[in-house]
Amino acid sequence: MVVTNSFPKPAETAKFNLSSYLKQRQQLCDQALDNSITVVYPEKIYEAMRYSLLAGGKRVRPILCLATSEMIGGTIEMAMPTACAAEMIHTMSLIHDDLPAMDNDDYRRGKLTNHKVYGEDVAILAGDGLLALAFEIVASKTPDNVPKDRVLQVITRLGKALGAAGLVGGQVVDLDSEGKTDISLETLNFIHNHKTAALLEACVVCGGIIAGASSEDVQRLTRYSQNIGLAFQIIDDILDITGTQEELGKSAGKDLQAQKVTYPSLWGIEESRLKAQQLVIDACKELEYYGEKAVPLQALAHFIANRNN
Ligand code: GRG
């Protein structure tokens, strides 16, 4: 069977100009993130925070958050502080993940990692600073037309997604699994549902909550985001094998080198692509209820499975 990098999309999704949408949304997010940190005394920490936050990146998480807010009937302005917070949390997790005590990486987003430039001590603090700022901006910068109980729900969900019940828990099991070749599919799913899918889910669901999502909306958004979360990680594992350092902006082939159990190591590359494909189809189905309004989120799901970095 020939493995292709793309698969059929529904008619409306195919007509949608995803690349110009992504470009425009990336610019909006970059601008908002740039405005969110001013360099004051002690300059070193603000510079270290800005270094990683503004180093590029696809901005998938904030874009998902904004798109969900719009689909549910909210605006970009209502969701932008939450979208920025999600990118800050994601960036801090990358800074900490790259530290010698964790994955020990020299490159990220095409640049030297934070600790390579600022030292391990400042890199840890830059991550901490971003994490604290994320919550500060959701609480203080969400516009007044968003009811405060929605803001509280967002803070609760973000906290849960990044703590021991989310990213931190997934990272602990990932670290424990290092060097073990008998990792089960159940453990692998646990790691990635927590390390990767939990934050993507929070971005989507929080974007919806900001806009006034009902409990039925939240259920649909949860199923959509769990599917794209797993698809995202399967593709990440494939790209570690098929991508180059230049394309990925970080070291390639790390999983093989560390003999890590990954989706392609369990299923093979072709089967892994098919599974990612099916997850994207399932994710898109969850949003059919919203008709044309769901097209950006459906196109983003396809992007996640077709990306090359
Ligand atoms: C959150 C308190 C707290 C601590 C961090 C280190 C850690 C705990 C967790 C690791 C989380 C991690 C690095 C998960 C990997 C997620 C992933 C697939 C990252 C790649 O995301 P992309 O492709 O990257 O969206 P860009 O650079 O485009 O943003």
Side-chain angles (χ1 to χ4, degrees):
M1 180 197 246
V2 179
V3 178
T4 59
N5 224 6
S6 60
F7 45 91
K9 306 170 180 76
E12 312 85 61
T13 322
K15 273 187 267 156
F16 180 71
N17 189 338
L18 181 68
S19 63
S20 69
Y21 176 87
L22 281 177
K23 202 168 158 211
Q24 192 248 357
R25 294 303 159 105
Q26 276 157 356
Q27 277 169 359
L28 275 180
C29 294
D30 285 344
Q31 191 59 58
L33 290 167
D34 194 357
N35 293 340
S36 67
I37 304 178
T38 309
V39 178
V40 290
Y41 179 81
E43 287 82 1
K44 187 164 54 174
I45 189 64
Y46 294 102
E47 279 161 9
M49 288 159 70
R50 285 177 61 85
Y51 174 81
S52 293
L53 189 64
L54 305 177
K58 297 178 288 297
R59 309 304 194 201
V60 166
R61 292 156 190 80
I63 292 174
L64 282 169
C65 180
L66 300 177
T68 312
S69 171
E70 287 185 293
M71 184 185 78
I72 297 295
T75 62
I76 288 182
E77 291 70 27
M78 286 162 84
M80 189 56 98
T82 300
C84 287
E87 188 64 21
M88 287 174 188
I89 292 166
H90 169 56
T91 302
M92 78 72 57
S93 80
L94 299 179
I95 296 174
H96 283 196
D97 191 54
D98 290 336
L99 287 167
M102 304 237 189
D103 264 13
N104 194 16
D105 267 303
D106 291 351
Y107 290 94
R108 174 69 73 173
R109 294 175 163 173
K111 296 171 76 174
L112 282 172
T113 42
N114 201 290
H115 66 273
K116 282 277 158 191
V117 178
Y118 296 96
E120 281 179 54
D121 46 4
V122 174
I124 292 169
L125 293 168
D128 296 343
L130 285 169
L131 185 54
L133 183 59
F135 287 95
E136 185 190 331
I137 70 158
V138 173
S140 66
K141 298 278 194 276
T142 302
D144 288 339
N145 62 346
V146 179
K148 294 287 175 262
D149 67 297
R150 294 186 195 167
V151 179
L152 271 181
Q153 286 183 61
V154 166
I155 291 172
T156 307
R157 281 187 183 261
L158 285 176
K160 194 166 175 195
L162 69 90
L167 268 78
V168 169
Q171 180 76 347
V172 167
V173 180
D174 196 14
L175 292 172
D176 273 353
S177 307
E178 246 171 48
K180 294 183 187 155
T181 49
D182 58 346
I183 300 301
S184 65
L185 180 59
E186 198 188 357
T187 304
L188 194 63
N189 283 338
F190 179 95
I191 293 171
H192 297 305
N193 283 334
H194 291 75
K195 259 187 81 167
T196 303
L199 185 56
L200 289 163
E201 180 184 327
C203 294
V204 169
V205 174
C206 291
I209 287 172
I210 290 277
S214 66
S215 60
E216 289 78 20
D217 290 324
V218 168
Q219 281 169 25
R220 283 187 278 267
L221 295 173
T222 302
R223 290 192 293 266
Y224 161 84
S225 52
Q226 287 174 347
N227 283 320
I228 62 163
L230 200 50
F232 192 99
Q233 185 60 48
I234 294 173
I235 299 299
D236 209 67
D237 285 356
I238 294 175
L239 289 173
D240 186 70
I241 301 169
T242 60
T244 61
Q245 174 158 345
E246 209 174 29
E247 283 166 339
L248 304 179
K250 59 179 181 181
S251 326
K254 291 259 316 183
D255 296 340
L256 272 180
Q257 209 178 31
Q259 292 182 309
K260 250 181 146 174
V261 174
T262 62
Y263 290 108
S265 80
L266 286 183
W267 298 330
I269 292 185
E270 274 186 43
E271 186 63 22
S272 301
R273 268 196 216 285
L274 289 175
K275 297 242 190 207
Q277 207 168 302
Q278 189 56 50
L279 286 162
V280 166
I281 291 166
D282 294 346
C284 291
K285 274 204 193 113
E286 291 294 340
L287 303 186
E288 276 171 4
Y289 170 86
Y290 302 99
E292 285 276 309
K293 283 190 187 154
V295 168
L297 280 179
Q298 289 170 331
L300 285 165
H302 285 284
F303 167 73
I304 280 168
N306 287 310
R307 66 204 172 94
N308 58 10
N309 71 23

